[in-house]
Amino acid sequence: MQTEQPKLPTVALTGVAETLMITLYARSIETQREDAIVHDPQAVEMIERLDYDFSKYQKGWASQLGVSLRVRAIDNRVKHFIETHPKALNLGAGLCTRFSRVDNGEIRWYDVDFPEVIDLKQKLIAPTDRYRYIARSLFDFAWIDEIQREPQQPLLIILEGVAPYLTEAEVKSLLQAIRNRCTPATVIFDVLNQKSARNSKRHDTVSKTNAEFKWGIDRAQDIENWGIGMQLQAEEFYLNEFVNYPERLPLWARYIRSLLAQLFANSGRVLQVQMLS
């Protein structure tokens, strides 16, 4: 008889690091739906291997749908970029499995996150020659020196579910370092508006952790005035798509879904920026 493997402990994941469980749970639940927006079998497998109480997120229908829509939006942008450029970085990667979903057989990928996160992740998914881990804080900019690329080779940097937990000063510092040392680079990241960023305690899943939002922006174009040297290429209002999934909504929300779409539209967006040389 085969002995069941002990589940991997997750007690080291606290604060912002714990929020990776929210996105992992959302992708796992989505994958098991017949009308799945994204397919992530690795997420389903990882849930089974972790010693963690995911039940506290079960009522977070808005987060589950929102994360799924955001994942699809970012996946599509990544796929478009790697059609012509073979290098990508995933900062604050958590237990993201994007590499498995977008891999075209050529892309070289780096996941960067805190040592405790990378320690857990490599027990779940082994690195390869084209998929590597860097165990560093995003603000330990030595991670930049660990990227192997040719001079002037375009680089894609992804920050999913990261920027809202940073202060505006930290976001600027991170983007400035990318601009100074990684150009030519394209950065894809998600943002909240200011009202949503003030409501961590009312959020349907983040409120179940010790993390809190610290930054939001109402006009994406304002980042071009930060003096960093970057250009906004695209802004995608992915929460507008709530209206297309009425069967996912609570009964009360189905009757006002058009209004919900308008209310939610600016609260979660995916931005794509180009660092200027």
Side-chain angles (χ1 to χ4, degrees):
M1 180 180 294
Q2 188 173 4
T3 306
E4 185 177 345
Q5 274 188 312
K7 294 200 173 188
L8 298 172
T10 59
V11 291
L13 304 182
T14 60
V16 175
E18 187 183 1
T19 64
L20 64 85
M21 296 299 188
I22 297 172
T23 52
L24 176 66
Y25 176 76
R27 299 194 315 272
S28 173
I29 293 297
E30 189 63 30
T31 299
Q32 297 173 74
R33 293 184 61 97
E34 291 185 2
D35 60 345
I37 294 169
V38 292
H39 294 272
D40 192 346
Q42 284 188 322
V44 178
E45 294 170 5
M46 285 193 284
I47 290 278
E48 294 299 319
R49 295 191 59 193
L50 297 175
D51 183 10
Y52 185 81
D53 179 17
F54 289 98
S55 65
K56 61 185 176 180
Y57 304 134
Q58 285 180 348
K59 295 182 179 180
W61 65 267
S63 281
Q64 197 281 316
L65 178 56
V67 165
S68 300
L69 293 169
R70 186 181 72 192
V71 167
R72 181 174 67 182
I74 296 177
D75 279 3
N76 287 341
R77 292 188 175 277
V78 172
K79 289 175 183 177
H80 179 72
F81 183 92
I82 66 175
E83 285 177 358
T84 52
H85 306 301
K87 194 82 68 173
L89 263 166
N90 198 10
L91 303 186
L95 296 181
C96 179
T97 57
R98 179 160 287 114
F99 175 78
S100 69
R101 296 193 303 274
V102 305
D103 183 23
N104 60 3
E106 298 179 3
I107 184 73
R108 294 190 176 275
W109 193 278
Y110 296 83
D111 276 357
V112 183
D113 212 320
F114 294 116
E116 62 269 26
V117 176
I118 294 300
D119 179 64
L120 175 62
K121 190 167 188 177
Q122 61 188 1
K123 293 173 183 174
L124 295 163
I125 304 174
T128 68
D129 289 343
R130 292 192 297 109
Y131 179 48
R132 301 183 181 182
Y133 296 138
I134 300 176
R136 294 186 184 275
S137 162
L138 304 190
F139 295 97
D140 174 1
F141 296 127
W143 57 260
I144 296 174
D145 300 320
E146 297 189 39
I147 307 166
Q148 298 176 8
R149 66 168 176 163
E150 300 298 323
Q152 298 304 304
Q153 182 180 20
L155 179 68
L156 177 65
I157 297 177
I158 307 150
L159 287 153
E160 182 183 5
V162 174
Y165 299 104
L166 306 178
T167 65
E168 182 173 301
E170 288 172 330
V171 175
K172 289 180 178 179
S173 174
L174 181 56
L175 292 176
Q176 184 72 70
I178 292 171
R179 159 66 180 76
N180 290 346
R181 299 180 59 186
C182 296
T183 302
T186 297
V187 183
I188 297 174
F189 62 108
D190 59 285
V191 297
L192 302 174
N193 61 16
Q194 293 185 36
K195 181 179 179 180
S196 297
R198 292 191 294 265
N199 286 316
S200 300
K201 293 182 179 179
R202 299 175 63 183
H203 193 273
D204 63 355
T205 53
V206 175
S207 63
K208 310 301 181 186
T209 72
N210 291 323
E212 63 178 1
F213 300 132
K214 296 181 179 178
W215 174 67
I217 187 169
D218 292 336
R219 293 184 69 256
Q221 292 81 359
D222 289 346
I223 65 174
E224 295 184 336
N225 301 322
W226 284 357
I228 291 175
M230 56 186 180
Q231 181 179 41
L232 179 67
Q233 292 183 315
E235 180 178 18
E236 186 168 350
F237 296 78
Y238 63 90
L239 293 183
N240 276 339
E241 295 191 53
F242 265 44
V243 72
N244 297 327
Y245 298 91
E247 71 285 353
R248 306 284 194 99
L249 310 181
L251 189 59
W252 63 266
R254 298 179 190 183
Y255 293 103
I256 59 169
R257 64 180 186 272
S258 295
L259 177 60
L260 279 180
Q262 295 175 35
L263 291 174
F264 281 140
N266 197 47
S267 62
R269 296 104 73 205
V270 170
L271 308 186
Q272 180 170 321
V273 301
Q274 178 70 43
M275 295 301 177
L276 303 176
S277 56

